[in-house]
Amino acid sequence: MIKRVYITFVRFLSLFIFNKFTRKSFRKKCFEYYDNLKIKKDTKNYYPIKLFNHNKIRDKSVLIIEINNFHGITLPGYIHYFAELGYNVDVFLLLGQNVLWRPLDRLEDEFRAFYGDEQSLSEKIRSTNLKSYDFVFINTTFYYGIYSPYPNAMSVFDLIGIKPKGKFGTLMIEHNYDPFVEKFNEQQYIKEGTLFTLLGFRNTKMLSSSYVGKVTITPKNKNKIIFLAVGTLAPQNRNYKMLIEACESLIKQKIINFKINIIGYGNLEDLPKEVQPFINILGALSYPDMFETIEHGDYILTLFDPDNKEHHKYVDNWASGSSILFYAFSKLPLIHSFFAQSYFLDNNNAIVYTNLEEGMKSAIEIGSTEYQCRQEALTQLAKNLQIQSIKNLSEQLERMKNVFSSK
């Protein structure tokens, strides 16, 4: 009898454990536990969103919201700008690349980051008295995931269920003027001055993010020149065929003191055998690894093609993420003349070309003194963009405070 009861109990316990481990909610908790351990080990100032209520909202604070797995590269700059203006900064982040890949590692400014999934973040935003914050800043106006791929993205306000508002209001960055300004009826925010774009495209206010934290500006490598290409290996974003052809031509001319490090998702198919030793596909990297790789490089290849109409978005619609990197690290960009003016670039602070092969050849041959002169000009350009952006932000914050006071 006792033996039978014991066997029954063991079977029941086994089934219970099996069911526990196979339940989706339990598996989710296991993954969350693993992520939390990793975050505690690798980062500081990060807390699960459920702990948000245990942390008092400080006086003169701003809440930055990012409920996507991308645009993490802009966060350090915006945290820094608000800190420069004397604000305490809290950040709500989707648990994913913008947390686990650590884009904020090099920041010396103080901040608190709270992370969770879309549902828990949205619930916390809806249930929190955001008027305790002076301002709410939306780092991306749209949301897209598996079920709403770009350009069928939804407004982040629709995802959350409300437009989050601080005491004095809400500010936001529109990364893709087309199609979202019209799709989300954002013209009203442009008129109010509460919507910015990264480079002031189409008469909007500029809020450039050309800062990632502490960096080391390095001189040009002496023996082997390192080119960098950053971003998904997709023809609608970069022309890698053009790059391969340029490499083939340089190799035929016996110009072989270079290599190209490519950072991003994807692969290059049918890469010619003679070109393979010169191209190193690193894949997608964490932000610390990417930053370190960039510091050891010399040039950033934009690979925009004026003959590809899909690339025309980089003229006055999308600000390439590569631009944030070449500004932040003072790595001279190689850019076609068709796109250069949009990024305030010329042959004083970049390598501007009409033919990529000639541009790469010029970059390889340029002396260290000339490289340094252009690098210093690029560093000054980045500083000017930061100064103007902080000024634009400060003026808008004061304007919103005055509107609130006059009510």
Side-chain angles (χ1 to χ4, degrees):
M1 179 66 180
I2 295 174
K3 184 176 180 182
R4 187 177 299 171
V5 171
Y6 175 78
I7 293 172
T8 302
F9 173 77
V10 170
R11 285 177 177 173
F12 172 81
L13 184 62
S14 300
L15 286 170
F16 176 80
I17 293 171
F18 176 80
N19 288 331
K20 270 285 188 181
F21 273 90
T22 54
R23 278 173 53 195
K24 189 178 290 186
S25 61
F26 186 78
R27 291 201 307 272
K28 182 180 178 182
K29 287 182 179 180
C30 288
F31 285 122
E32 287 178 354
Y33 180 73
Y34 169 77
D35 287 339
N36 288 336
L37 287 178
K38 182 173 173 53
I39 291 163
K40 288 178 182 178
K41 178 182 177 182
D42 294 341
T43 62
K44 60 180 181 179
N45 304 334
Y46 286 80
Y47 310 92
I49 192 65
K50 64 183 179 182
L51 298 182
F52 175 74
N53 291 342
H54 299 284
N55 291 266
K56 182 181 177 182
I57 298 175
R58 300 157 293 183
D59 293 336
K60 197 177 182 183
S61 284
V62 172
L63 174 64
I64 297 177
I65 298 174
E66 178 54 81
I67 313 186
N68 283 287
N69 256 328
F70 44 83
H71 292 160
I73 192 64
T74 63
L75 290 168
Y78 298 146
I79 292 172
H80 177 66
Y81 294 169
F82 280 112
E84 285 286 290
L85 294 173
Y87 288 90
N88 296 302
V89 181
D90 288 342
V91 191
F92 279 8
L93 295 174
L94 179 70
L95 177 54
Q97 293 173 7
N98 287 335
V99 178
L100 300 173
W101 288 19
R102 300 153 53 195
L104 308 178
D105 262 27
R106 294 201 176 201
L107 266 183
E108 296 179 304
D109 304 284
E110 291 188 7
F111 67 92
R112 301 185 306 190
F114 299 90
Y115 58 86
D117 58 23
E118 299 94 331
Q119 182 178 349
S120 60
L121 290 173
S122 298
E123 287 176 354
K124 188 61 66 177
I125 292 167
R126 289 194 300 269
S127 63
T128 301
N129 179 16
L130 297 181
K131 296 298 174 68
S132 298
Y133 288 102
D134 286 15
F135 299 94
V136 171
F137 182 87
I138 308 297
N139 190 56
T140 305
T141 63
F142 56 89
Y143 167 84
Y144 71 84
I146 297 173
Y147 302 108
S148 57
Y150 183 89
N152 299 318
M154 64 190 301
S155 166
V156 71
F157 300 148
D158 290 339
L159 173 73
I160 296 170
I162 61 168
K163 177 185 175 184
K165 291 183 180 180
K167 178 180 179 181
F168 302 116
T170 308
L171 305 103
M172 64 201 79
I173 278 284
E174 181 51 78
H175 295 259
N176 304 138
Y177 194 102
D178 287 333
F180 297 129
V181 166
E182 182 176 352
K183 182 175 181 179
F184 302 146
N185 193 27
E186 294 174 347
Q187 294 89 343
Q188 58 179 319
Y189 305 135
I190 295 174
K191 291 178 182 178
E192 295 169 356
T194 57
L195 183 144
F196 299 86
T197 60
L198 282 159
L199 292 173
F201 288 156
R202 304 193 193 179
N203 298 315
T204 56
K205 288 185 179 181
M206 179 184 71
L207 195 61
S208 170
S209 183
S210 54
Y211 180 87
V212 299
K214 188 176 181 180
V215 303
T216 301
I217 298 177
T218 54
K220 185 185 182 188
N221 287 302
K222 293 181 179 180
N223 298 321
K224 184 170 287 188
I225 306 308
I226 301 174
F227 294 98
L228 302 151
V230 184
T232 303
L233 283 74
Q236 65 267 28
N237 296 333
R238 308 282 187 276
N239 188 337
Y240 281 98
K241 181 181 179 182
M242 180 173 64
L243 175 62
I244 293 168
E245 291 173 351
C247 289
E248 288 178 312
S249 181
L250 291 173
I251 293 166
K252 286 178 181 178
Q253 297 174 58
K254 308 298 182 184
I255 300 174
I256 55 174
N257 59 326
F258 72 94
K259 72 173 181 178
I260 301 164
N261 288 330
I262 298 176
I263 302 169
Y265 290 106
N267 212 327
L268 295 179
E269 297 179 357
D270 302 322
L271 196 61
K273 189 174 181 179
E274 63 272 17
V275 175
Q276 290 178 14
F278 296 88
I279 295 182
N280 185 20
I281 300 176
L282 301 175
L285 300 179
S286 69
Y287 285 95
D289 289 342
M290 178 174 69
F291 292 163
E292 186 176 356
T293 301
I294 292 169
E295 278 183 333
H296 288 96
D298 297 295
Y299 298 97
I300 291 183
L301 297 161
T302 56
L303 301 180
F304 305 150
D305 181 1
D307 295 328
N308 186 336
K309 288 188 177 180
E310 285 193 85
H311 290 193
H312 290 192
K313 63 193 175 189
Y314 293 115
V315 174
D316 66 350
N317 186 11
W318 295 19
S320 168
S322 294
S323 67
I324 297 172
L325 298 172
F326 61 66
Y327 292 139
F329 289 90
S330 295
K331 294 301 176 185
L332 300 191
L334 271 72
I335 190 167
H336 194 281
S337 57
F338 182 80
F339 302 92
Q341 188 174 357
S342 297
Y343 297 87
F344 314 104
L345 299 173
D346 54 37
N347 276 315
N348 293 313
N349 54 25
I351 305 291
V352 179
Y353 61 83
T354 55
N355 177 276
L356 178 58
E357 173 204 330
E358 293 302 317
M360 293 179 69
K361 185 176 180 181
S362 174
I364 292 168
E365 294 175 350
I366 197 172
S368 58
T369 302
E370 177 62 22
Y371 180 91
Q372 183 180 357
C373 288
R374 297 195 193 194
Q375 189 178 48
E376 289 173 354
L378 181 61
T379 302
Q380 188 58 52
L381 170 60
K383 288 181 180 178
N384 292 343
L385 292 175
Q386 290 172 28
I387 291 168
Q388 185 59 52
S389 294
I390 292 174
K391 181 175 182 290
N392 290 346
L393 180 60
S394 177
E395 289 176 350
Q396 182 58 32
L397 297 181
E398 289 303 312
R399 190 175 296 113
M400 293 168 74
K401 287 180 182 179
N402 291 337
V403 170
F404 177 83
S405 299
S406 65
K407 289 181 179 179

